Amino acid sequence: MIDNETVENGANSHSDSDEEKEDIKEISNGGSKSADRKHNGNLENGFSGQRPVLRKSPSFMEASQNFVVHSRGGNDRKVLVIYTGGTIGMVKNKNGVLAPQRSIFETLIRTYPQLHSNSLWRMKVSEPGFEPSFFVLPETKDCEACTILYKIIEYDKLIDSSNVTEKEWEKIAIDIKKHYDLFDGFVVLHGTDTLAYTASALSFIFENLGKPVVLTGSQIPIFEPRSDGADNFVSSLIIAGTLHIPEVTIFFGSKLFRGNRTSKISSNAFYAFESPNCDPIVDVGIDFEVNTRIIFKPTVIDRFNVSPKLSKNVGLLRIFPSISGAVIRAFCQPPIEGVVLESYGAGNIPSNRPDVYQEISAAVKRGVIFVNITQCNTGSVSPIYEAGQGLEKLGVVSGYDMTPEAALTKLSYVLAKSEISHEEKKNMMAMNIRGELTRTDVLALPQTHNPKDLQPLDTLAKCFNVELTPSLKDKVFCALLQYATEQNDENTLELLLEMGANVNCQNWEGKTVLHEAVLRGNIRMVECLLKKGANVHLKTKIGETPLLTAIQRNDIEMIQLLVKCGAHLASINTSALAELLLLAARSGSVRKLEALKIAGADLNICDELNHTPLHKAVICKSPKAVEYLVANGASKDAVDFLGNKPIDYAIKTNDPEIINQLR
Ligand code: ASP
């Protein structure tokens, strides 16, 4: 940990040189050095606007703005679009009926000015590292100072979603995993018929999801004049690229819903989806109104994982007045392992039907897991009636207010977990694991504040004669969180979070409290923030992640913690990363090399002259850097543009120590 004094003065106990710091700032901007360097004189002593720099140099804001303007790619947000089929991309075939057709979608999207800006694309093409296959979303006021670039993967077999099975869920999940590090968010274009099932299944398959996955589709194909497709698509891109909602969600008809809370409610309305037991996360009107308080966040220190194994031996059994014991018996025959029971009202089945009870009881005894949910659209299962309590006694698990889609896919996911016992599976079904159910009987957090604690905010608002709108409240909370972090005051921080402050709020520079705690080197606070849902992927307006902040400080322990929680360097472009490594090698900074390696950098990366860090360390006569690089897998045989290996330079400069190290 470093003391306030050190930080306030802009000095940094871990840092090797000012030159390195400057380089990281440029890296987070996408790695352009060139002329930008002269705009950044004021930044040399600090890092992307930390307070000390503000005090030292009144022109920091100006410099920082120039920096953003001149940045290349630092504030781009990349979204991967997976196009699976569905009405959204369908066109009429030769028989005059709608069907998905291959290789048409991308070509047509390029011609729609509201979906792709050709002029921005042409500007981007001239930037190093830009992949021309990307589309560029036209500028909109909703993406504050950032550009959304998106790439479309079209599946070989485009399908009507009625044909979706667990194989498609697995494919989507694996594709997202494959591209996870390289993109800020994901949009899945999908038919509406089984959209809620896919969203629910993905929400369970994805463990510790840290980035947005938005599923959308449309009722009318996107290329038809009255389509809802363009609105749904553009809003989904903006949400996936700029709003930090690390959940599997469904965007439809101007609302973003939690995927595992949503059902299709209309086959023809534009408002085709609803999440009856959970408020929408975003309401899109003129602005994007985000309900940050209900965003579900992972609260364990672990990286993103895909667990696609699902049991197929599950089914939905809807109770109806004349259902027979024989039907239930037939339904529960092997290989069935899990049944979602759709009961009446608050979870009731007929209490005067011993045959029904007997069959359910027999199946439970054979090891079939029964989960009880209600047939009603809203409300939850709760054992308030005699008719419902009986089920609990038989060992049927309460599914609370889960949708049928969520209950079924969760059961598939839980049953496939071979590492946990039957009892643990039953417990898991009744637990809220991805925001899919509401339990009023267990409080998520012990509440240590009382509602009066909010009064100071109201008083403050009155003093300034302003209305305490939700957005103002969020801003005040954000400032207080930053202040508590600057003061290393964990108690106040926890209290503010309990009071509803958003742990991932960003200040005017885009800095989160996680950035601040990392900058302060306060590992305990960082741990506490991660367990409260702080997101390691959020970037400042100049593209700096908490991991880059930790690298700037050469804070190895911090880097290890962030990496354990899934932080990575993949969004930094290769040439920028190469520059950073080569600089560390040139200046002989073993600690910086180590910091970069632990953060995941490849020590054999090279610049445009094919110089590796080892070449640079040799040329600049840094035996310590040479030793570190050789011990950590740097190739002694790498050849630069002149055909020289590192040892050739050691021989040229006649450096016996380094020659020895390289032999
Ligand atoms: N049948 C179509 C599908 O689910 C309906 C739609 O896309 O809205 O693929």
Side-chain angles (χ1 to χ4, degrees), residues 219-290:
Q219 295 283 49
I220 299 180
I222 196 166
F223 307 118
E224 291 194 10
R226 276 184 56 252
S227 174
D228 50 335
D231 280 355
N232 286 347
F233 187 36
V234 170
S235 296
S236 300
L237 286 170
I238 293 172
I239 291 167
T242 64
L243 303 182
H244 307 290
I245 301 169
E247 294 199 37
V248 179
T249 51
I250 293 178
F251 185 85
F252 222 89
S254 86
K255 286 185 174 42
L256 184 80
F257 304 103
R258 176 169 302 150
N260 56 32
R261 290 291 197 146
T262 309
S263 296
K264 184 170 177 179
I265 51 144
S266 170
S267 61
N268 55 3
F270 281 162
Y271 288 85
F273 289 86
E274 191 49 85
S275 66
N277 288 317
C278 179
D279 287 339
I281 304 174
V282 183
D283 218 322
V284 181
I286 288 178
D287 296 311
F288 281 67
E289 274 168 36
V290 186

Side-chain angles (χ1 to χ4, degrees), residues 1-9 11 13 488 520 553:
M1 205 188 291
I2 50 172
D3 60 31
N4 279 355
E5 181 69 27
T6 321
V7 173
E8 304 259 311
N9 289 325
S13 53
N488 293 325
R520 304 254 147 200
R553 301 185 71 254

Side-chain angles (χ1 to χ4, degrees), residues 84-90 100 159-164 190-195 216-220 252 264 267 272-273:
T84 66
T87 302
I88 190 160
M90 287 188 192
I159 52 172
D160 185 299
S161 77
S162 321
N163 296 325
V164 161
H190 193 288
T192 57
D193 287 348
T194 59
L195 190 60
T216 194
S218 67
Q219 295 283 49
I220 299 180
F252 222 89
K264 184 170 177 179
S267 61
F273 289 86

Side-chain angles (χ1 to χ4, degrees), residues 105-169:
F105 193 71
E106 281 208 39
T107 320
L108 286 178
I109 292 279
R110 278 201 193 275
T111 64
Y112 275 64
Q114 76 271 41
L115 303 177
H116 171 67
S117 161
N118 248 318
S119 52
L120 280 178
W121 180 84
R122 276 195 298 273
M123 274 165 62
K124 286 276 163 201
V125 164
S126 63
E127 291 179 7
F130 178 77
E131 256 188 67
S133 62
F134 271 82
F135 294 78
V136 185
L137 196 68
E139 268 165 8
T140 119
K141 72 167 181 49
D142 309 302
C143 314
E144 243 183 80
C146 77
T147 309
I148 295 182
L149 312 177
Y150 62 101
K151 187 182 176 116
I152 302 177
I153 295 184
E154 177 176 303
Y155 278 177
D156 291 343
K157 245 180 94 194
L158 295 170
I159 52 172
D160 185 299
S161 77
S162 321
N163 296 325
V164 161
T165 66
E166 77 290 348
K167 290 213 174 66
E168 280 73 29
W169 299 339

